[in-house]
Amino acid sequence: MPRRRRGRFAATAALLGGALILGLGLGGCGGTGRHTRTSTRTYSIYTSLPFEGPFGATAGAMYQGEELALAQAGDEVDGAKVVLRRLDDATAGAGSTPALVGQSARIAAADQSTIAYIGELMPGSSLTSIQILSPAGILQVSPGDSATGLAGKTFARVVPRDSDEADAQLAALRKLGVSSIYLLADRTTHGRDIATTILSDAPSYGIRVVDPTRNSVSGNTRLLLRAIKRSKAGALLYAGSPAASVGPLWNAVTAAAPSIKKIASASITDSTSWPLTSVQARYDTYLSAPGLLPGRGLPRAGSQFQSDFMTAYGTRAPWESGIFGYVAVSGVLSALHSVGIHAGNPRAGVVSAFLRLRELPSALGAYSVVGGQTSFRSYFFTTYTRSGVAKSDGSLS
């Protein structure tokens, strides 16, 4: 559990966009009598994340961000108690599974106190929970599921889509002067979404996909390496997940084509094999992640969040992932405040309020939700020095 330091959190709630302050931007109904009466009601926000498996570290940081948002609101909205209830939708070996995601969604749907559901994280895993929560009329806000085609009448997300990330990767490659890429995809939803966008959008960035056959990482490694070397592509673009094969792949590609640049989603560093990559393999690697860098667009509230997050969870805590969980829960609390805890049907009101968010201040800056999709589209890149040290490269954003 975090070191909650309530006094300090309460003092910065207004700056960070806590529930009460943010609620004033949702219809201007803050300050009315119905928002200040005390209540014996308890609302539950369920969070379903893959705390085991390859996305475990990211899930843990997102949960900490959610926990921090609720702590700064004093665990309540206008006198009504709000409880964050944690569910694990993953196994150590496979990450999220449809069976466990469905189980989490059904638990939340069966609880009459549920006001919102935060999840999921692994790309595409929300398909299962949407089918359960949408008919139940429960707001679902994903802090990390970036699958391009997700939609539901009660579904929204605060993270950009895979298609947005693919375009950010293409823009970065163009800034790096790359004119040709070798595309390598896996069979995950994330890999499919990234590869589809790369194939369709690369020409508009002046980039050629040298072998547009969607080569799979599960193919013959020797033939694959030979093809990459013969292609003379300026970069390898890996559209895939943090599989155990990532580390050996990075080492092998670098040995076969030492001058090739490598670009992928930052989630690949969650692979159990990433620590085995060599210093040479990490050099000329560029990893994309949604978010903003301090000093390069991160708003004052975001900088304060970063400071408070590291104070609560340690200076090495991955606040870049935690900020999305924080924004998701803050948005839900804001929507609940705007509706009013004494509303006749708060569930429906919270859904409507969240899906109509327009220019809501947050730690990521002001964002809107249109058709369940966030207006937030920013990415930053991590690259590596010749000595293997990771550093943020704001010039590619």
Side-chain angles (χ1 to χ4, degrees), residues 294-313:
R296 294 188 62 87
L298 193 65
R300 186 183 178 196
S303 297
Q304 185 65 58
F305 163 80
Q306 178 190 5
S307 174
D308 284 346
F309 189 85
M310 291 191 295
T311 296
Y313 301 106

Side-chain angles (χ1 to χ4, degrees), residues 6-28:
R6 292 291 182 86
R8 182 161 187 250
F9 289 161
T12 59
L15 176 63
L16 288 163
L20 299 184
I21 298 301
L22 288 180
L24 299 178
L26 293 174

Side-chain angles (χ1 to χ4, degrees), residues 314-328:
T315 57
R316 294 182 181 271
W319 66 270
E320 299 93 339
S321 296
I323 199 169
F324 285 94
Y326 179 87
V327 169

Side-chain angles (χ1 to χ4, degrees), residues 126-180:
S126 296
L127 284 170
T128 300
S129 47
I130 286 173
Q131 296 174 20
I132 298 169
L133 298 168
S134 191
I138 296 173
L139 174 66
Q140 178 176 358
V141 181
S142 173
D145 190 340
S146 55
T148 299
L150 293 177
K153 66 180 183 180
T154 67
F155 175 82
R157 53 181 154 194
V158 295
V159 69
R161 297 167 295 183
D162 288 333
S163 56
D164 299 317
E165 182 166 21
D167 282 322
Q169 291 174 341
L170 288 169
L173 287 168
R174 182 170 60 186
K175 289 181 180 180
L176 289 167
V178 172
S179 59
S180 62

Side-chain angles (χ1 to χ4, degrees), residues 55-109:
F55 287 91
T58 301
M62 284 188 173
Y63 177 72
Q64 289 170 335
E66 296 166 13
E67 196 175 41
L68 180 58
L70 189 56
Q72 289 177 336
D75 297 315
E76 60 91 24
V77 172
D78 303 324
K81 184 175 178 60
V82 181
V83 179
L84 184 64
R85 303 190 187 279
R86 167 176 162 160
L87 299 171
D88 192 343
D89 64 20
T91 63
S96 290
T97 67
L100 289 176
V101 169
Q103 176 178 288
S104 292
R106 283 188 290 272
I107 290 172

